[in-house]
Structure formats: structure tokens, C-alpha cells
Amino acid sequence: MQMSESGSGLSATKATGPQPMLRFLAGYRARLLLSLYVSQYIGMGFVFAAIPAIARSKGLSLDDIAIFYSLAMIWTLKVLWAPLMDRYQPFGGPAYRGWLIGAQLCLAAATLACSFFDPVDHLGAVAACVAAMCFTSSVQDVAADAVAVRLLPPEDRGIGNAVQTAGGLIGALVGAGGAVLAYEQVGWQATLWGLAALTLLPSILILQMRSGQQQEETPAEKVTYGLIWRFLLRPGTPRWLAVLVVAEFGLGAQIALVNPMLVDHGWNLTKIALGTALWGALFGVSGAGMAAVLFRRFTRRAALIGALLLSAALSVPIAFYHAAAMADWQMVVVLALYYTGWGMTTTALATVMMDHCRARSAGSDYSSQFSIGALIGLMGSSLALSMAETYGYTAALAAGACSCLLAAILAKGKGAVKAP
């Protein structure tokens, strides 16, 4: 199938090499996906990084700040409303466009509402606004994932997921580091007004969506929760889910340990922000791009296994730093490598998740995999921190590395990684 990508059309090509990737990056699909993921992760970066820092600077207790982190569970529950989104399409037009428009408007409205309440004096009101932001952002995420599944043919999913990962990292950087810097200059309300405006960034591109761009344009007439169970139990999916949950456990364990370890080694917040938020965004994007190249040159299984092995190996220099065997500047280099590996691995996992989705229930299929992986990732983070408290960072990092190694071994199994 060949269609023009000028304007808002679609182009699918099975050719290898840099030209198809560059053609994709210059087209409408890349612009739409990038803007969607930047938009939704601006809000999430603000909720889970900027608000805690700002609230703590204003004297809020750690117990109260924990409320905002508990709201992360809303994202892992998005599988509960994904079938409804697959089944019903508000406002007509192309599939999921109505959901995207509604989510954009509600996310901007919740952000604006939050600007009128002080996080210390009106904690309950701010928490309610944050809950609304998390819910509407999760709705946008379900719709964006479904659109991505249906827009991207198998040969474009590597670069497509690289664009999505890059968008998420850029959005998180703006919502976290950018919001903190803006808060120090212009205050709470003006910062939130700016974030609300930025969340509407994709609106013009969403309105340009037209019928015929997506594969299987009409969603299934009846997407039910039973359909999710049948998807999770169909041949090959349980084997893939074993790879996914073991990998997410390892990645969650590793990433949860980095910032506390740096604090314990005397890094201040500014240094950590530069070393993790900025470095993480820049090198995470480069890792996502490398994953896209790997998917063009190697099989899905080989690319995923390579990314998992790299993530496992990078636990070693982090452990060396903790043992005081490296200088701070060397740790900065290690962090660059670590976030490159993280970007590669998360992009590889997302691409294979997309391969397992069915176009007619794309939102439910992708969200069910995401929710399972996210829950296990949160468990990995929690258990790794507890292990580090009891046995030390080295033991916890080793557990994360072993989990990534086990995921690579499982990925070698027959049927674990679907070939598109």
C-alpha cells in the first residue's frame, strides 16, 4: 500500500536505510505522535517531579507529598476505560480523534484550575486537580497509543516508537525541570497557565486527522473486557508478557535507585536535575533513535535482546561508582550511557507491544500490556528501594541487572517476540 504523506497522508515503505526513516520524520505522522506525547508528558512531569519539589520548598511534609505519587496508580488503571474508548467514538470523524480533542481540552482545563490553588494552603483542591490531570492524560495516552498502532505499519513501528519515546522525554523535561525554573521566575499561577497552553500543542494536528489514514478505520463494534482476557491468553501473548514483566521489573528497580544514590553521594538538587532530568532526556532520545535503527537492520528479537543486555551491563559501572571507584565526572558519563540504554530498551519494548496489538481493539490491547508492565515496574522500584535499605545499593542493582538478563533469556524463547 502506498499513500502520500504530504499534508496529513500516510506513507508506508519496507525499504531499509536512512531515507525511509528521514521521510517518516518529515511527515505528518511523526509530527502528530511527537506533539501528542510531548503534550501529555508535560502534565505528568509536572505532577511527579515539579509539584513535589515546589511543595517541599514551601514546607509541605513528605507524607503529604506522597499523595501526588499515589495518584500515579490512575495511569496503571487506564485499561479499565480503554475498551469503552475502543467501542465508542465521540463527535464522529476518524477513530479516536474525538477522544483526543476531549482529553486535550479537559487536561488544559484541569491545569488551569490547579493554578488557582496553593499546594500548601489548598492541598485537597490541588490533589483533586492533579487526579483530573492524571485521568485525562491517561485517556489521551490510550487514544494516542491506539492511533499509533493503527497509523504505523510494522516496518515503521521502530522509528514511530522512537518518536513517541522522544516526545515523552521532552515533555517530562519541560513539565519537570522547565516548570521548576519557570516557578522560580514567574510564580505558581503563571507557570501553570503556560503549561496549560503547551498541552494544547497538538490540537491543530489532531483536527487535521482524516478518515482513511488509519488501518481498519472503523473500530470493533463491541470491545469488551472479555476481549482483553482473550487477547492476553491467545497463543504467544503469555510468553511475551513474561518477557515484559521481568524486563519492567528490572528497569523499575534500576531507575528508582539512581537519584537516592546520588543524594547519598552528596549531589545537590541542581546537579541531580542536570545529571538525570536533562541528561536523561537528551540521551534517552538518542537511545530511542538507536533502537529505531536496530529495528531497521535486525529482527525484533535480536534488537530487544541487545537492548536488555545493555541495560543489565550498565548496572555494573553504577555499582562501581557507589563503591567510590569513580569520580563524579565519570558518573556523568555512566549516566549518559545508562539513559541511552534505557531509551533503547523502553522503545524496543513498546515496539513489540505494538506488534502484539490488533488494529480493531488497539487501545485495549496496548493499555492492557502497559498496565501490567507499569504495575510490575512500580513493584520493582519499591522492592529495590527496600532491598537497598537493607542490603545496600550494590545488591539492589544486581537484582535489577539479573532481571534484565532473565528477560533477555526469555526473549530468546520461541514465540516470545512476535515477528510482524
Side-chain angles (χ1 to χ4, degrees):
M1 176 181 65
Q2 294 287 341
M3 297 175 64
S4 171
E5 189 162 6
S6 58
S8 57
L10 175 65
S11 177
T13 177
K14 293 187 178 181
T16 59
Q19 289 188 352
M21 296 176 63
L22 294 175
R23 197 156 49 239
F24 176 88
L25 292 173
Y28 168 79
R29 291 176 298 165
R31 295 196 302 272
L32 175 65
L33 294 176
L34 181 66
S35 64
L36 285 173
Y37 286 88
V38 169
S39 170
Q40 70 194 43
Y41 278 93
I42 285 175
M44 301 315 293
F46 179 71
V47 168
F48 299 118
I51 284 185
I54 293 171
R56 186 61 174 167
S57 71
K58 300 185 74 165
L60 203 65
S61 71
L62 293 176
D63 287 338
D64 287 335
I65 291 173
I67 293 173
F68 299 111
Y69 288 103
S70 67
L71 294 171
M73 290 300 295
I74 293 176
W75 258 58
T76 67
L77 298 175
K78 65 181 183 177
V79 67
L80 298 179
W81 44 88
L84 298 175
M85 295 177 60
D86 281 331
R87 184 174 181 181
Y88 300 107
Q89 299 301 319
F91 312 124
Y96 304 100
R97 186 176 69 176
W99 288 114
L100 289 172
I101 293 172
Q104 287 269 291
L105 294 175
C106 291
L107 181 57
T111 306
L112 281 175
C114 192
S115 72
F116 295 101
F117 302 103
D118 184 272
V120 175
D121 297 334
H122 306 98
L123 177 61
V126 171
C129 292
V130 166
M133 291 168 67
C134 291
F135 174 72
T136 53
S137 183
S138 75
V139 169
Q140 178 174 327
D141 191 51
V142 172
D145 289 339
V147 168
V149 170
R150 295 156 66 93
L151 274 180
L152 299 173
E155 61 270 15
D156 284 337
R157 287 176 183 166
I159 184 63
N161 277 285
V163 169
Q164 291 174 234
T165 300
L169 289 167
I170 293 169
L173 176 62
V174 172
V180 170
L181 294 175
Y183 169 77
E184 293 179 339
Q185 299 298 319
V186 299
W188 173 261
Q189 191 169 70
T191 297
L192 282 162
W193 287 358
L195 292 178
L198 288 174
T199 60
L200 296 173
L201 180 69
S203 298
I204 295 176
L205 291 170
I206 293 172
L207 292 173
Q208 290 177 357
M209 292 174 65
R210 296 291 181 267
S211 298
Q213 291 173 328
Q214 303 180 35
Q215 304 174 62
E216 297 197 40
E217 183 66 35
T218 304
E221 294 180 2
K222 189 175 183 180
V223 180
T224 65
Y225 296 105
L227 189 68
I228 294 178
W229 284 113
R230 289 195 293 275
F231 164 70
L232 294 177
L233 296 175
R234 71 177 183 169
T237 303
R239 294 176 181 175
W240 159 242
L241 290 177
V243 177
L244 178 64
V245 298
V246 175
E248 290 289 359
F249 184 93
L251 293 174
Q254 289 175 322
I255 202 163
L257 296 169
V258 172
N259 281 1
M261 188 183 71
L262 295 178
V263 171
D264 289 349
H265 279 267
W267 288 39
N268 59 38
L269 292 178
T270 300
K271 191 174 179 180
I272 290 174
L274 292 173
T276 59
L278 180 59
W279 229 228
L282 292 176
F283 286 91
V285 169
S286 69
M290 291 179 187
V293 173
L294 288 176
F295 277 126
R296 286 280 179 177
R297 297 184 177 274
F298 301 98
T299 64
R300 295 284 204 260
R301 178 181 286 107
L304 177 59
I305 290 173
L308 287 167
L309 291 176
L310 177 61
S311 290
L314 288 170
S315 289
V316 176
I318 295 175
F320 280 166
Y321 174 77
H322 176 61
M326 292 193 302
D328 283 357
W329 71 266
Q330 292 172 313
M331 183 56 179
V332 171
V333 175
V334 171
L335 286 173
L337 293 172
Y338 168 74
Y339 283 110
T340 300
W342 181 89
M344 290 177 64
T345 307
T346 54
T347 301
L349 290 171
T351 301
V352 179
M353 285 168 60
M354 191 173 287
D355 288 338
H356 280 266
C357 293
R358 300 159 296 182
R360 294 178 69 82
S361 54
S364 299
D365 291 355
Y366 196 93
S367 294
S368 61
Q369 296 175 81
F370 175 90
S371 295
I372 292 170
L375 282 171
I376 299 300
L378 289 172
M379 289 175 55
S381 296
S382 178
L383 290 173
L385 289 170
S386 297
M387 182 179 289
E389 182 71 24
T390 305
Y391 302 105
Y393 284 111
T394 301
L397 285 166
C402 288
S403 188
C404 290
L405 282 173
L406 179 58
I409 294 171
L410 292 173
K412 292 182 65 177
K414 184 178 179 180
V417 179
K418 182 179 179 181

